[in-house]
Amino acid sequence: MRIVTWNINSLRLRLGLLERVVAALAPDVICLQETKVPDELFPEQAPARLGYPHHLRRGMKSYNGVAILSRVPMRPDDGAPDWCLKDDRRHVAAVLDTASGPVALHDFYVPAGGDVPDPVANPKYAHKLAFVDEAAAYFTAYPPLRSILVGDLNIAPLEHDVWSHRQLRDVVSHTEPEIARLNAWLASGFVDAMRHFVPPEEKLYSWWSYRNRDWRASNRGRRLDHVWVTPDLVPALRGLTVLQEARDWPGPSDHVPMAIDLDL
DNA sequence: ATGGTGGGCAACCCA
């Protein structure tokens, strides 16, 4: 089973690149973030045309939005709360019907948090911290089993998840309060599946800003996108592919797609 | 210290 996660930064604008992701990675399941399309304007025929007869979407106008496309049957999992009571379409969950039994799949888009790393001065940063606190509390209260959590978590927790740990200490996405909360969320029942494959002393990024002349030359990346699995699925982990070449495709997202393989 | 580039969608919001 191959599951892809990708912050597509507008589903409608990048349907062609989504097709390219399908050709490059042949995923069984695709989790998207920042679809930026309300449900009533979702391109209804696109998933089936790409080979995904099953899909779930939770979108809104202009901002946020998540979707899961699947080749394998799944049912919606509506158990989670409305995070921060904002109804801002940052999470969709499904239960996948796999050969080894049901597996829960969570697709998250965590608030980016604005520019100023001060929850008093910056409500977007306060929202981000509260969102991660809520998610950690939820999974602590309802310990996950046979679960996969993916998405744009907008936090790069490790020193080598950013191009310069020293220079990003006070940059939102790599601040101590965010990292502490992300670690608490992870500890609520998950293992970092990306770092299962790539040792923590090795640089690993999933996002490169649009605001660089040459993203590859400067390589000022961050690992904002994550794949977590519950410990009971660790023995099923088979591989990780970060499709860095997609950052060079015409009209790219600033995030690259990545695939996790599991023997399910 | 600053501003750099994107998307959505019609003025600035957000990343």
Side-chain angles (χ1 to χ4, degrees):
Chain A
M1 169 90 56
R2 168 166 281 189
I3 298 174
V4 159
T5 180
W6 189 28
N7 179 321
I8 194 171
N9 188 18
S10 172
L11 172 61
R12 285 174 291 178
L13 191 70
R14 276 183 251 285
L15 272 175
L17 289 192
L18 181 59
E19 187 166 7
R20 209 162 158 172
V21 169
V22 169
L25 293 173
D28 296 295
V29 181
I30 304 172
C31 295
L32 300 172
Q33 304 89 36
E34 282 206 273
T35 54
K36 294 185 175 177
V37 59
D39 291 342
E40 62 272 21
L41 295 179
F42 189 92
E44 295 289 348
Q45 69 288 29
R49 188 176 54 78
L50 293 171
Y52 301 87
H54 314 281
H55 83 268
L56 297 169
R57 76 293 184 101
R58 289 179 41 75
M60 59 185 282
K61 186 177 177 182
S62 298
Y63 305 114
N64 313 324
V66 285
I68 300 176
L69 320 186
S70 180
R71 289 197 206 283
V72 307
M74 61 178 174
R75 59 174 176 83
D77 177 356
D78 296 321
D82 173 21
W83 310 102
C84 301
L85 300 177
K86 284 181 178 285
D87 191 27
D88 57 357
R89 314 299 170 100
R90 296 179 180 277
H91 176 221
V92 62
V95 177
L96 302 174
D97 190 8
T98 81
S100 65
V103 170
L105 175 63
H106 294 272
D107 178 11
F108 273 97
Y109 174 54
V110 170
D115 291 327
V116 181
D118 173 354
V120 176
N122 173 13
K124 289 190 275 193
Y125 187 70
H127 176 213
K128 182 179 198 175
L129 298 182
F131 188 103
V132 177
D133 276 338
E134 257 187 41
Y138 173 77
F139 287 101
T140 301
Y142 303 96
L145 288 172
R146 286 179 62 82
S147 298
I148 302 166
L149 187 156
V150 305
D152 177 3
L153 305 186
N154 265 317
I155 299 171
L158 302 180
E159 175 174 352
H160 296 295
D161 291 341
V162 295
W163 62 275
S164 169
H165 175 61
R166 185 178 59 80
Q167 285 174 262
L168 293 180
R169 280 309 282 169
D170 296 316
V171 173
V172 174
S173 73
H174 195 59
T175 67
E176 186 278 327
E178 294 169 272
I179 292 169
R181 281 165 175 82
L182 191 77
N183 284 334
W185 185 6
L186 180 66
S188 73
F190 296 97
V191 170
D192 181 341
M194 296 177 74
R195 287 302 186 182
H196 176 85
F197 293 104
V198 182
E201 59 272 15
E202 219 172 280
K203 292 286 186 190
L204 184 57
Y205 310 141
S206 64
W207 172 91
W208 290 262
S209 172
Y210 285 124
R211 301 178 191 181
N212 280 319
R213 184 172 297 274
D214 183 337
W215 71 274
R216 198 184 282 279
S218 55
N219 198 24
R220 295 186 165 190
R222 305 179 201 171
R223 184 169 72 111
L224 301 181
D225 303 276
H226 294 266
V227 179
W228 296 351
V229 302
T230 48
D232 53 0
L233 292 184
V234 168
L237 285 171
R238 289 295 177 272
L240 170 74
T241 307
V242 179
L243 196 66
Q244 202 173 305
E245 68 195 62
R247 188 63 181 76
D248 272 331
W249 291 351
S253 168
D254 45 357
H255 298 253
V256 296
M258 65 177 147
I260 195 87
D261 296 322
L262 300 106
D263 187 10
L264 292 175

